[in-house]
Amino acid sequence: MALKLWNVFKFFGPAVMPIVVLVDVSLEIVQGESVAIVGASGCGKTTLLNIAGGLLQPDTGKVLWDEQLVGKLKRGSFLGFIFQSCALVNELTVLENVLLPLRILGLKLDKARAKELLAVVRLEHRMHAMPSTLSGGERQRAAIVRALISSPQFVIADEPTGNLDERTSLEVEELMFGLCREMKVGLIFATHDQRIAQRASRTFSLTAGRLHEVKKPLEPTTFFA
Ligand SMILES: Nc1ncnc2c1ncn2[C@@H]1O[C@H](COP(=O)(O)OP(=O)(O)O)[C@@H](O)[C@H]1O
Ligand SMILES: [Mg+2]
């Protein structure tokens, strides 16, 4: 199944002097594929991701998941969100945070599954801890588990490693790509980091509201004598 953005335009501000954020953006992402969006701060990456996830309406154009309008779907059932500031609820434990999407969706609180995923990100021993007692990297790992708990087919991540140091961001990156590969989910993420962007199946830069595919340097060729 695929997420499709069709001719999406988005403006902010008054009609007489609009801030033009997205101009005729079209993009299709299939399950198991990862797409990176790079671009200067303020270029519209968050706006694009929020529209892709149905958190924000485009001014014109549409967003479809499996040929259905995303705005009309029960979001969390197919989609997981990872935010830059990870947005864990401070008053809830790590485990309660991870189970929150299931609670909101009215699904069974599958604690065994939560513990299994927390073990994958090496946080099982911290499941009863409050988020304020975790490091930034640990919080982001918990946020990844929370995004994956409802077994989404698609994950949207807005600068998921933006607030992390080099080593922790490598760790979070491995996890994100690894879990997505194993669970065959589609992934779209925004980043400032060219190195992470290179790891995606496809990379796009967002400039003056338009999306351009960034061609990757060719893989080194192996010659056989
Ligand atoms: N709700 C809003 N109202 C008005 N302007 C907005 C709003 N949200 C974002 N913008 C503007 O749209 C542009 C793109 O913002 P954003 O998508 O957050 O960029 P990025 O994530 O690439 O930093 C910026 O100029 C920002 O100020
Ligand atoms: Mg942003």
Side-chain angles (χ1 to χ4, degrees), residues 4-219:
K4 292 181 199 169
L5 283 84
W6 287 102
N7 310 111
V8 166
F9 286 75
K10 185 71 189 177
F11 310 97
F12 286 117
V16 282
M17 256 188 65
I19 304 170
V20 180
V21 183
L22 299 175
V23 180
D24 200 11
V25 168
S26 294
L27 180 64
E28 180 169 343
I29 310 156
V30 296
Q31 274 182 270
E33 180 184 37
S34 54
V35 164
I37 308 291
V38 295
S41 173
C43 73
K45 300 181 295 298
T46 297
T47 304
L48 173 62
L49 295 183
N50 286 344
I51 287 176
L55 297 179
L56 194 64
Q57 284 297 315
D59 286 313
T60 59
K62 50 189 173 181
V63 184
L64 302 169
W65 169 253
D66 188 26
E67 307 306 330
Q68 285 182 282
L69 284 173
V70 160
K72 296 212 157 60
L73 291 171
K74 206 173 174 187
R75 192 174 304 133
S77 54
F78 83 98
L79 188 65
F81 256 101
I82 303 169
F83 300 96
Q84 177 174 8
S85 50
C86 86
L88 293 181
V89 180
N90 283 325
E91 292 72 23
L92 300 179
T93 66
V94 168
L95 181 62
E96 288 163 347
N97 263 286
V98 163
L99 292 171
L100 197 56
L102 300 180
R103 197 178 284 281
I104 291 169
L105 290 167
L107 300 174
K108 179 175 161 275
L109 300 186
D110 191 344
K111 286 189 186 166
R113 176 76 181 139
K115 287 176 191 171
E116 197 179 293
L117 283 173
L118 282 167
V120 175
V121 303
R122 294 179 288 108
L123 274 182
E124 208 185 5
H125 64 297
R126 302 291 276 144
M127 68 183 166
H128 298 303
M130 301 309 280
S132 61
T133 67
L134 301 184
S135 73
E138 287 172 333
R139 279 202 291 274
Q140 198 58 316
R141 271 146 52 196
I144 292 177
V145 170
R146 188 183 55 181
L148 294 169
I149 188 71
S150 62
S151 302
Q153 292 147 309
F154 209 88
V155 170
I156 294 181
D158 194 358
E159 302 195 39
T161 61
N163 285 334
L164 305 175
D165 61 49
E166 172 88 25
R167 185 167 155 262
T168 316
S169 81
L170 265 175
E171 217 171 79
V172 165
E173 190 186 318
E174 283 307 323
L175 247 168
M176 198 174 68
F177 284 115
L179 292 178
C180 287
R181 203 168 41 233
E182 280 152 35
M183 296 181 183
K184 290 270 180 300
V185 306
L187 171 68
I188 181 168
F189 66 102
T191 183
H192 274 117
D193 188 335
Q194 289 292 340
R195 194 184 45 76
I196 304 179
Q198 285 294 326
R199 296 192 59 185
S201 324
R202 287 184 293 154
T203 302
F204 292 85
S205 78
L206 190 55
T207 323
R210 292 182 184 272
L211 211 51
H212 302 276
E213 183 154 9
V214 181
K215 293 291 170 207
K216 299 195 188 269
L218 291 173
E219 298 282 331

